[in-house]
Amino acid sequence: MAGTNLPEPPQGSEAPPRRLARRSLLAGGGLGLGLGALLGAGGAWGATSLRATQAAADAPGSDAALEAVPSQGIDGHLPGFGGESLPCHGNHQAGITSVPSASVQYSAFRLRPETDAAALKRMFRVLTGDIEGLTSGFSPLADPEPELAARPARLSVTVGVGSKVAKLAGREAPEWLAPLPKFTLDELGGGYDGGDLLIVLQADDPTPISHAARMLGRDLASFVEPLWVQRGFTRARGAEADGTTMRNLMGQIDGTVNPAPGADDFDGLVWLGEDATWLAGGSAFVLRRIRMELDTWDMVDRPGREASMGRRLADGSPLSAPAEGASEHTPADFEAKNTLGLSSIGMAAHIRRAHSTDPGERIYRRASNYDDGTEAGLLFGCYQTDPRKQFVPIQQRLDEADLLNEWVTHTGSAVFAMLPGFSPGGMLGETLFT
């Protein structure tokens, strides 16, 4: 998780004094200190404020609010989650383990032929300043619409690189930083594969994403050129209780078995260690574009859909568990039999094929839905330390025999090294050059 340091304004930008006063209230000493000072100022108003704060903490979407700080931009002080800023500094980049946002945009770029190592370093300096500004509510230099940056709605900018960037910087690329092996059912080549640079924009409002994409694209234009863009979404913030597992467009609860940030084994599964040298504190990221054949899926009855997945659609509980009293988190029993003596969870059911007895063969998934007007599906993103040992074995089993293969097709594939985090006064990607 990113740290709680607020970025300083980029050169040429200055936060309005009223915003700095709000920052001093909420940052540093903590929210409790600010509330305590306010409560000491007068009885009735203070009690009402405390009750309102408690109600907000219990409301859907409060988990996202707890990791945010106030925007430092113009109008950032206005109420609503649009005024929340997600700190961009820390050991790891923001946007990886933060509470999932309602909207996401993946933008891949290829290096221009004239971009050399010196230009690459300049690019990361520019990128660092833009990230610090945009995520905190400040507009980048020469931004013609600074008002669009003022309410970032927890905007995060997460950056990954391909092997070409590493080699250009004089660093050795890890062996896993390469295209995935070809799976038999893949239909790649449609324009959503690979890339030299990946920028992941996430926010609870698509407006700051659109504005950030435009500003970043403008500032990076002399170094890289656009390759592809993919936009995804989940439910709107507050539409469901915090911690609710998302549903994909097939109606399935998607992502029940997922390592949890803060769990004992999470770091070893996701974050690269010191032996990764320039990538220590980073992670390996796989993005797969999965088209769903929803027209034919609609022809399948509910029992057939549940048998394909191995879980009930209503609550995600495994078919091996009694319908009453079970939940999506009830462990699946792959030895259980039904009244006919057959496996309760079919041999080719999705959850059986995805299951592994190897605890190290797990990934941290960050998926979202997509619908571009011509097709719909899932943008399946996942983090790990080595895709060859974590993602690939899982996908190979699914590729060989998964009932859901009748209705899903992988049409895009990319692997990136997500860079370590950076500190105030530092530069994103500085380990590439040191």
Side-chain angles (χ1 to χ4, degrees):
M1 186 78 66
T4 56
N5 309 78
L6 274 172
E8 293 299 321
Q11 278 192 332
S13 297
E14 184 176 340
R18 60 182 175 180
R19 225 65 64 237
L20 295 178
R22 186 172 177 85
R23 170 180 172 178
S24 67
L25 171 66
L26 296 178
L31 180 60
L33 177 60
L35 284 174
L38 289 174
L39 285 171
W45 184 90
T48 302
S49 176
L50 183 59
R51 286 196 297 270
T53 301
Q54 182 60 50
D58 294 337
S62 60
D63 282 357
L66 291 174
E67 65 182 8
V69 296
S71 166
Q72 299 297 296
I74 301 169
D75 293 337
H77 66 291
L78 296 176
F81 61 71
E84 293 169 339
S85 169
L86 193 63
C88 66
H89 297 124
N91 293 329
H92 313 297
Q93 288 192 75
I96 297 178
T97 59
S98 54
V99 174
S101 301
S103 298
V104 60
Q105 176 172 312
Y106 298 97
S107 300
F109 303 83
R110 66 165 63 93
L111 288 171
R112 290 190 177 277
E114 63 270 26
T115 300
D116 57 14
L120 189 68
K121 192 169 186 178
R122 291 197 301 273
M123 182 189 79
F124 277 104
R125 288 199 189 101
V126 170
L127 192 53
T128 299
D130 282 356
I131 291 172
E132 291 181 325
L134 288 164
T135 59
S136 64
F138 287 111
S139 59
L141 293 176
D143 183 353
E145 293 91 23
E147 294 81 6
L148 293 178
R151 295 179 62 75
R154 286 198 318 124
L155 174 71
S156 63
V157 184
T158 315
V159 179
V161 300
S163 59
K164 190 174 180 179
V165 168
K167 293 173 183 176
L168 186 60
R171 310 296 284 186
E172 183 178 357
E175 292 184 6
W176 52 258
L177 189 53
L180 296 174
K182 180 73 164 61
F183 301 105
T184 59
L185 299 179
D186 282 359
E187 294 184 7
L188 307 181
Y192 296 106
D193 307 319
D196 299 326
L197 179 73
L198 178 71
I199 296 181
V200 186
L201 302 173
Q202 300 174 78
D204 290 321
D205 177 359
T207 299
I209 290 180
S210 177
H211 180 65
R214 181 181 167 209
M215 293 300 100
L216 291 167
R218 178 201 67 178
D219 290 349
L220 300 180
S222 61
F223 308 103
V224 295
E225 55 188 13
L227 184 60
W228 51 256
V229 174
Q230 302 186 69
R231 299 179 180 89
F233 60 90
T234 58
R235 294 294 296 269
R237 177 172 165 183
E240 296 176 318
D242 287 341
T244 300
T245 309
M246 68 164 279
R247 285 187 183 268
N248 62 37
L249 297 181
M250 286 175 143
Q252 302 157 340
I253 292 178
D254 194 311
T256 295
V257 182
N258 202 22
D264 291 341
D265 60 349
F266 183 85
D267 288 1
L269 290 169
V270 175
W271 302 122
L272 292 160
E274 293 301 321
D275 58 338
T277 59
W278 62 276
L279 271 176
S283 188
F285 181 67
V286 171
L287 180 64
R288 302 279 286 182
R289 182 182 179 94
I290 307 175
R291 185 181 70 232
M292 294 177 172
E293 314 298 346
L294 296 178
D295 289 346
T296 53
W297 178 250
D298 288 346
M299 300 176 186
V300 183
D301 63 13
R302 200 170 184 88
R305 295 182 180 199
E306 294 180 337
S308 299
M309 185 66 182
R311 294 185 180 275
R312 297 180 180 92
L313 289 171
D315 56 13
S317 61
L319 298 181
S320 58
E324 297 296 327
S327 74
E328 62 170 304
H329 300 294
T330 301
D333 181 359
F334 295 107
E335 303 301 320
K337 307 291 184 182
N338 59 23
T339 56
L340 299 177
L342 303 175
S343 295
S344 298
I345 298 174
M347 301 307 291
H350 181 78
I351 65 169
R352 182 186 287 273
R353 299 301 299 174
H355 175 72
S356 175
T357 57
D358 181 356
E361 196 178 278
R362 289 182 294 154
I363 53 179
Y364 174 56
R365 48 188 297 158
R366 296 274 290 198
S368 60
N369 299 310
Y370 79 87
D371 185 341
D372 63 12
T374 60
E375 65 175 47
L378 191 72
L379 299 180
F380 185 95
C382 62
Y383 293 89
Q384 60 255 280
T385 58
D386 191 334
R388 300 170 303 171
K389 299 177 181 178
Q390 291 168 266
F391 176 81
V392 170
I394 298 170
Q395 185 56 38
Q396 283 176 332
R397 289 195 300 273
L398 296 175
D399 188 60
E400 292 166 358
D402 178 8
L403 288 172
L404 285 182
N405 287 339
E406 183 71 21
W407 301 282
V408 300
T409 305
H410 292 241
T411 62
S413 182
V415 179
F416 292 94
M418 307 309 281
L419 296 170
F422 65 107
S423 302
M427 181 182 78
L428 175 68
E430 61 190 338
T431 55
L432 275 166
F433 305 99
T434 57

